[in-house]
Amino acid sequence: PGRLHDLFVTHEAMSPGEWKEKGRGLSIRYGFHNSPFGRALLMATDRGLCGVAFSDENKGGDAYALADMTQRWPQAVYSRDDEAVRPYAQRIFDPERWVASEPLRVVLIGTDFQIRVWEQLLEIPMGKLCAYSDIARKIGASQASRAVGAAVGRNPISFVVPCHRAIGRSGALTGYHWGLTRKRAMLGWEAARA
């Protein structure tokens, strides 16, 4: 399990072959639910949670969030099922349900490099931040800060895999796929609970 300090996560990665197939043969259920950070899109396979994204009306709303996520695995079969993903929304956004005895199963779908970066993100405790360069060093790629930043930006399981905890070397809150305002809100929400 990762993130021993807060939301307990057990993860597995898709095989390189599954990644190369871009989701072919994969069935993904999705739904939209409210969260402390706005309307959230959640996606799951029979193996676990594989996506968390956010919907903004001023950026195309639900349709944009869904299109952004489905283009990552274009060969998968998608079906809307709000009820199937509701337990994930309840579990993720309710700290009372963050207990080691009920780890959250997630499925990481990405390249080997991306998965190594995302695994490092899972090690950042709630209320803490980590520079991209430190993540690069921890995965043995100290010269790859920009590549780490790109992998952080491609994280498909926002908030659960805490990409919002990655910052620039200067300490600046650098870009966030779902907006810097949301990143600040997540960090503030966590700081109040840490």
Side-chain angles (χ1 to χ4, degrees):
R3 293 177 68 183
L4 299 177
H5 300 283
D6 52 292
L7 178 59
F8 292 86
V9 173
T10 301
H11 67 280
E12 68 174 275
M14 289 286 184
S15 71
E18 289 172 310
W19 166 249
K20 287 179 187 173
E21 291 292 316
K22 300 293 185 194
R24 180 172 285 124
L26 191 62
S27 293
I28 298 178
R29 293 174 311 281
Y30 70 90
F32 291 88
H33 295 278
N34 292 326
S35 82
F37 316 111
R39 191 160 163 82
L41 166 64
L42 292 97
M43 305 177 101
T45 71
D46 59 351
R47 291 155 67 176
L49 183 72
C50 67
V52 177
F54 295 95
S55 173
D56 290 308
E57 285 305 316
N58 61 346
K59 291 186 179 178
D62 292 354
Y64 173 81
L66 182 62
D68 180 73
M69 293 298 284
T70 59
Q71 61 86 22
R72 297 165 191 247
W73 315 294
Q75 300 300 319
V77 175
Y78 295 90
S79 58
R80 181 154 185 178
D81 190 341
D82 292 311
E83 290 309 309
V85 297
R86 183 180 306 282
Y88 288 110
Q90 292 169 335
R91 169 79 163 80
I92 293 165
F93 301 116
D94 181 0
E96 301 273 328
R97 301 200 46 208
W98 296 359
V99 292
S101 61
E102 295 177 31
L104 178 66
R105 290 199 47 78
V106 300
V107 180
L108 302 175
I109 306 173
T111 66
D112 179 62
F113 182 81
Q114 289 172 332
I115 290 168
R116 287 188 300 147
V117 169
W118 301 337
E119 287 173 334
Q120 279 303 307
L121 293 173
L122 286 167
E123 298 301 319
I124 305 170
M126 186 164 64
K128 303 292 183 188
L129 303 173
C130 189
Y132 298 108
S133 56
D134 292 332
I135 295 169
R137 183 181 44 75
K138 288 177 182 179
I139 66 168
S142 58
Q143 301 301 311
S145 293
R146 284 201 169 118
V148 165
V152 169
R154 294 293 298 165
N155 168 29
I157 313 177
S158 183
F159 186 71
V160 173
V161 176
C163 51
H164 57 282
R165 297 180 190 163
I167 59 171
R169 185 184 320 168
S170 69
L173 292 184
T174 55
Y176 183 64
H177 189 78
W178 304 107
L180 282 178
T181 299
R182 186 168 279 118
K183 182 172 185 168
R184 285 186 195 96
M186 288 177 176
L187 294 172
W189 189 84
E190 290 183 342
R193 286 157 179 78

Short mmCIF file of all heavy atoms in Angstrom, two decimals, residues 7-42:
data_model
loop_
_atom_site.label_atom_id
_atom_site.label_comp_id
_atom_site.label_asym_id
_atom_site.label_seq_id
_atom_site.Cartn_x
_atom_site.Cartn_y
_atom_site.Cartn_z
N LEU A 7 -4.85 8.44 2.57
CA LEU A 7 -5.70 7.55 1.78
C LEU A 7 -4.91 6.31 1.40
O LEU A 7 -4.01 6.37 0.59
CB LEU A 7 -6.19 8.29 0.53
CG LEU A 7 -7.05 7.55 -0.46
CD1 LEU A 7 -8.33 7.04 0.19
CD2 LEU A 7 -7.41 8.45 -1.63
N PHE A 8 -5.22 5.18 1.98
CA PHE A 8 -4.49 3.95 1.74
C PHE A 8 -4.82 3.42 0.36
O PHE A 8 -5.97 3.23 0.01
CB PHE A 8 -4.82 2.91 2.81
CG PHE A 8 -4.31 3.30 4.17
CD1 PHE A 8 -5.04 4.11 5.00
CD2 PHE A 8 -3.07 2.86 4.60
CE1 PHE A 8 -4.58 4.48 6.24
CE2 PHE A 8 -2.59 3.21 5.84
CZ PHE A 8 -3.34 4.02 6.67
N VAL A 9 -3.78 3.16 -0.42
CA VAL A 9 -3.94 2.75 -1.81
C VAL A 9 -3.15 1.47 -2.05
O VAL A 9 -1.98 1.38 -1.69
CB VAL A 9 -3.46 3.86 -2.77
CG1 VAL A 9 -3.45 3.37 -4.20
CG2 VAL A 9 -4.31 5.10 -2.63
N THR A 10 -3.78 0.50 -2.67
CA THR A 10 -3.10 -0.67 -3.20
C THR A 10 -3.19 -0.54 -4.71
O THR A 10 -4.28 -0.33 -5.24
CB THR A 10 -3.78 -1.97 -2.73
OG1 THR A 10 -3.76 -2.00 -1.31
CG2 THR A 10 -3.07 -3.19 -3.28
N HIS A 11 -2.07 -0.66 -5.39
CA HIS A 11 -2.11 -0.44 -6.83
C HIS A 11 -1.47 -1.59 -7.60
O HIS A 11 -0.68 -2.34 -7.07
CB HIS A 11 -1.42 0.88 -7.19
CG HIS A 11 0.05 0.86 -6.95
ND1 HIS A 11 0.60 1.05 -5.71
CD2 HIS A 11 1.09 0.68 -7.79
CE1 HIS A 11 1.91 0.98 -5.79
NE2 HIS A 11 2.23 0.75 -7.05
N GLU A 12 -1.91 -1.68 -8.83
CA GLU A 12 -1.27 -2.57 -9.78
C GLU A 12 -1.17 -1.80 -11.08
O GLU A 12 -1.89 -0.82 -11.29
CB GLU A 12 -2.07 -3.86 -9.98
CG GLU A 12 -3.40 -3.67 -10.67
CD GLU A 12 -4.10 -4.99 -10.97
OE1 GLU A 12 -3.78 -5.59 -12.01
OE2 GLU A 12 -4.93 -5.40 -10.15
N ALA A 13 -0.25 -2.22 -11.93
CA ALA A 13 -0.07 -1.56 -13.21
C ALA A 13 -0.50 -2.49 -14.33
O ALA A 13 -0.35 -3.71 -14.23
CB ALA A 13 1.40 -1.16 -13.39
N MET A 14 -1.05 -1.90 -15.37
CA MET A 14 -1.33 -2.67 -16.58
C MET A 14 0.01 -3.13 -17.16
O MET A 14 1.02 -2.45 -17.00
CB MET A 14 -2.06 -1.82 -17.61
CG MET A 14 -3.47 -1.49 -17.23
SD MET A 14 -4.50 -2.94 -17.45
CE MET A 14 -6.09 -2.28 -17.08
N SER A 15 0.01 -4.24 -17.84
CA SER A 15 1.24 -4.73 -18.45
C SER A 15 1.65 -3.84 -19.61
O SER A 15 0.80 -3.13 -20.18
CB SER A 15 1.04 -6.16 -18.95
OG SER A 15 0.20 -6.15 -20.09
N PRO A 16 2.93 -3.86 -20.02
CA PRO A 16 3.35 -3.08 -21.19
C PRO A 16 2.53 -3.43 -22.43
O PRO A 16 2.20 -2.56 -23.23
CB PRO A 16 4.82 -3.44 -21.36
CG PRO A 16 5.27 -3.81 -19.99
CD PRO A 16 4.07 -4.49 -19.36
N GLY A 17 2.17 -4.70 -22.58
CA GLY A 17 1.35 -5.11 -23.73
C GLY A 17 -0.02 -4.47 -23.69
O GLY A 17 -0.53 -4.00 -24.71
N GLU A 18 -0.62 -4.44 -22.50
CA GLU A 18 -1.93 -3.80 -22.36
C GLU A 18 -1.84 -2.31 -22.66
O GLU A 18 -2.73 -1.73 -23.28
CB GLU A 18 -2.47 -4.03 -20.94
CG GLU A 18 -2.90 -5.46 -20.68
CD GLU A 18 -3.25 -5.71 -19.23
OE1 GLU A 18 -2.44 -5.34 -18.35
OE2 GLU A 18 -4.32 -6.27 -18.98
N TRP A 19 -0.75 -1.68 -22.23
CA TRP A 19 -0.56 -0.26 -22.51
C TRP A 19 -0.45 -0.02 -24.01
O TRP A 19 -1.07 0.89 -24.55
CB TRP A 19 0.69 0.26 -21.80
CG TRP A 19 1.14 1.59 -22.28
CD1 TRP A 19 2.26 1.88 -22.98
CD2 TRP A 19 0.45 2.84 -22.13
NE1 TRP A 19 2.33 3.22 -23.27
CE2 TRP A 19 1.22 3.84 -22.76
CE3 TRP A 19 -0.75 3.21 -21.53
CZ2 TRP A 19 0.84 5.16 -22.81
CZ3 TRP A 19 -1.13 4.54 -21.58
CH2 TRP A 19 -0.34 5.50 -22.21
N LYS A 20 0.33 -0.84 -24.69
CA LYS A 20 0.52 -0.68 -26.14
C LYS A 20 -0.79 -0.85 -26.89
O LYS A 20 -0.99 -0.25 -27.95
CB LYS A 20 1.55 -1.67 -26.66
CG LYS A 20 2.96 -1.31 -26.27
CD LYS A 20 3.95 -2.33 -26.79
CE LYS A 20 5.33 -2.03 -26.25
NZ LYS A 20 6.28 -3.06 -26.58
N GLU A 21 -1.69 -1.63 -26.36
CA GLU A 21 -2.99 -1.85 -27.00
C GLU A 21 -3.95 -0.68 -26.79
O GLU A 21 -5.06 -0.68 -27.30
CB GLU A 21 -3.63 -3.14 -26.48
CG GLU A 21 -2.92 -4.41 -26.93
CD GLU A 21 -3.07 -4.64 -28.41
OE1 GLU A 21 -4.18 -4.48 -28.95
OE2 GLU A 21 -2.04 -4.97 -29.05
N LYS A 22 -3.53 0.33 -26.01
CA LYS A 22 -4.33 1.54 -25.77
C LYS A 22 -5.73 1.25 -25.22
O LYS A 22 -6.70 1.92 -25.55
CB LYS A 22 -4.43 2.38 -27.04
CG LYS A 22 -3.09 2.85 -27.56
CD LYS A 22 -2.47 3.83 -26.60
CE LYS A 22 -1.18 4.40 -27.17
NZ LYS A 22 -0.40 5.08 -26.17
N GLY A 23 -5.81 0.20 -24.40
CA GLY A 23 -7.09 -0.11 -23.76
C GLY A 23 -7.92 -1.16 -24.48
O GLY A 23 -9.01 -1.49 -24.00
N ARG A 24 -7.44 -1.70 -25.59
CA ARG A 24 -8.21 -2.72 -26.32
C ARG A 24 -8.53 -3.88 -25.38
O ARG A 24 -7.67 -4.38 -24.67
CB ARG A 24 -7.44 -3.23 -27.53
CG ARG A 24 -8.22 -4.29 -28.31
CD ARG A 24 -7.56 -4.66 -29.62
NE ARG A 24 -7.81 -3.57 -30.56
CZ ARG A 24 -6.84 -2.91 -31.18
NH1 ARG A 24 -5.59 -3.21 -30.99
NH2 ARG A 24 -7.14 -1.93 -32.02
N GLY A 25 -9.80 -4.27 -25.35
CA GLY A 25 -10.24 -5.36 -24.49
C GLY A 25 -10.56 -4.92 -23.07
O GLY A 25 -10.97 -5.73 -22.25
N LEU A 26 -10.39 -3.65 -22.78
CA LEU A 26 -10.63 -3.12 -21.44
C LEU A 26 -12.02 -2.48 -21.39
O LEU A 26 -12.38 -1.69 -22.25
CB LEU A 26 -9.57 -2.06 -21.13
CG LEU A 26 -9.46 -1.53 -19.72
CD1 LEU A 26 -9.09 -2.64 -18.74
CD2 LEU A 26 -8.39 -0.44 -19.67
N SER A 27 -12.80 -2.85 -20.39
CA SER A 27 -14.11 -2.24 -20.15
C SER A 27 -13.98 -1.26 -19.00
O SER A 27 -13.52 -1.65 -17.91
CB SER A 27 -15.16 -3.30 -19.82
OG SER A 27 -15.39 -4.11 -20.94
N ILE A 28 -14.37 -0.02 -19.24
CA ILE A 28 -14.26 1.02 -18.21
C ILE A 28 -15.64 1.61 -17.97
O ILE A 28 -16.30 2.07 -18.89
CB ILE A 28 -13.27 2.12 -18.65
CG1 ILE A 28 -11.86 1.53 -18.83
CG2 ILE A 28 -13.26 3.26 -17.63
CD1 ILE A 28 -10.82 2.52 -19.31
N ARG A 29 -16.06 1.56 -16.71
CA ARG A 29 -17.31 2.20 -16.30
C ARG A 29 -16.96 3.59 -15.76
O ARG A 29 -15.91 3.76 -15.13
CB ARG A 29 -17.99 1.37 -15.21
CG ARG A 29 -18.49 0.02 -15.71
CD ARG A 29 -19.04 -0.84 -14.59
NE ARG A 29 -18.21 -0.95 -13.41
CZ ARG A 29 -17.15 -1.74 -13.28
NH1 ARG A 29 -16.76 -2.51 -14.28
NH2 ARG A 29 -16.47 -1.78 -12.16
N TYR A 30 -17.82 4.55 -16.01
CA TYR A 30 -17.54 5.90 -15.52
C TYR A 30 -18.82 6.55 -15.03
O TYR A 30 -19.92 6.13 -15.35
CB TYR A 30 -16.88 6.75 -16.62
CG TYR A 30 -17.80 7.13 -17.75
CD1 TYR A 30 -18.55 8.31 -17.70
CD2 TYR A 30 -17.94 6.31 -18.87
CE1 TYR A 30 -19.40 8.66 -18.73
CE2 TYR A 30 -18.79 6.66 -19.91
CZ TYR A 30 -19.52 7.83 -19.84
OH TYR A 30 -20.36 8.18 -20.86
N GLY A 31 -18.62 7.59 -14.22
CA GLY A 31 -19.74 8.36 -13.73
C GLY A 31 -19.25 9.68 -13.15
O GLY A 31 -18.06 9.84 -12.89
N PHE A 32 -20.18 10.60 -12.96
CA PHE A 32 -19.86 11.92 -12.42
C PHE A 32 -20.48 12.05 -11.03
O PHE A 32 -21.62 11.66 -10.82
CB PHE A 32 -20.40 13.01 -13.35
CG PHE A 32 -19.68 13.08 -14.66
CD1 PHE A 32 -20.10 12.31 -15.74
CD2 PHE A 32 -18.58 13.90 -14.81
CE1 PHE A 32 -19.44 12.37 -16.96
CE2 PHE A 32 -17.91 13.96 -16.03
CZ PHE A 32 -18.34 13.20 -17.10
N HIS A 33 -19.69 12.62 -10.11
CA HIS A 33 -20.16 12.82 -8.73
C HIS A 33 -19.58 14.12 -8.19
O HIS A 33 -18.52 14.57 -8.63
CB HIS A 33 -19.74 11.64 -7.84
CG HIS A 33 -20.38 10.36 -8.24
ND1 HIS A 33 -21.65 10.01 -7.84
CD2 HIS A 33 -19.95 9.35 -9.04
CE1 HIS A 33 -21.97 8.84 -8.36
NE2 HIS A 33 -20.95 8.42 -9.10
N ASN A 34 -20.23 14.68 -7.21
CA ASN A 34 -19.72 15.89 -6.56
C ASN A 34 -18.56 15.52 -5.65
O ASN A 34 -18.52 14.42 -5.08
CB ASN A 34 -20.83 16.58 -5.78
CG ASN A 34 -21.89 17.14 -6.69
OD1 ASN A 34 -21.59 17.60 -7.79
ND2 ASN A 34 -23.13 17.13 -6.24
N SER A 35 -17.64 16.46 -5.51
CA SER A 35 -16.49 16.28 -4.62
C SER A 35 -16.19 17.62 -3.96
O SER A 35 -16.74 18.65 -4.37
CB SER A 35 -15.28 15.82 -5.44
OG SER A 35 -14.63 16.92 -6.06
N PRO A 36 -15.30 17.65 -2.98
CA PRO A 36 -14.92 18.92 -2.38
C PRO A 36 -14.24 19.87 -3.37
O PRO A 36 -14.09 21.05 -3.09
CB PRO A 36 -13.93 18.52 -1.27
CG PRO A 36 -14.20 17.09 -1.00
CD PRO A 36 -14.68 16.51 -2.30
N PHE A 37 -13.84 19.35 -4.53
CA PHE A 37 -13.09 20.13 -5.51
C PHE A 37 -13.87 20.32 -6.80
O PHE A 37 -13.30 20.59 -7.85
CB PHE A 37 -11.75 19.46 -5.78
CG PHE A 37 -11.09 18.99 -4.51
CD1 PHE A 37 -10.97 17.64 -4.25
CD2 PHE A 37 -10.68 19.90 -3.56
CE1 PHE A 37 -10.41 17.20 -3.06
CE2 PHE A 37 -10.12 19.47 -2.37
CZ PHE A 37 -9.98 18.11 -2.12
N GLY A 38 -15.17 20.18 -6.74
CA GLY A 38 -16.01 20.33 -7.91
C GLY A 38 -16.48 18.99 -8.43
O GLY A 38 -16.26 17.94 -7.83
N ARG A 39 -17.13 19.03 -9.56
CA ARG A 39 -17.69 17.83 -10.16
C ARG A 39 -16.56 16.91 -10.63
O ARG A 39 -15.67 17.34 -11.37
CB ARG A 39 -18.58 18.23 -11.33
CG ARG A 39 -19.42 17.12 -11.88
CD ARG A 39 -20.58 17.74 -12.66
NE ARG A 39 -21.23 16.81 -13.54
CZ ARG A 39 -22.16 15.94 -13.15
NH1 ARG A 39 -22.53 15.91 -11.88
NH2 ARG A 39 -22.73 15.14 -14.02
N ALA A 40 -16.61 15.65 -10.20
CA ALA A 40 -15.54 14.70 -10.50
C ALA A 40 -16.03 13.59 -11.42
O ALA A 40 -17.15 13.09 -11.28
CB ALA A 40 -15.01 14.08 -9.20
N LEU A 41 -15.19 13.23 -12.35
CA LEU A 41 -15.40 12.07 -13.22
C LEU A 41 -14.58 10.94 -12.63
O LEU A 41 -13.38 11.10 -12.41
CB LEU A 41 -14.92 12.39 -14.64
CG LEU A 41 -14.74 11.20 -15.59
CD1 LEU A 41 -16.07 10.50 -15.86
CD2 LEU A 41 -14.10 11.67 -16.89
N LEU A 42 -15.22 9.81 -12.36
CA LEU A 42 -14.52 8.64 -11.85
C LEU A 42 -14.66 7.51 -12.86
O LEU A 42 -15.72 7.34 -13.46
CB LEU A 42 -15.07 8.22 -10.49
CG LEU A 42 -14.75 9.24 -9.40
CD1 LEU A 42 -15.92 10.15 -9.19
CD2 LEU A 42 -14.34 8.56 -8.14
#
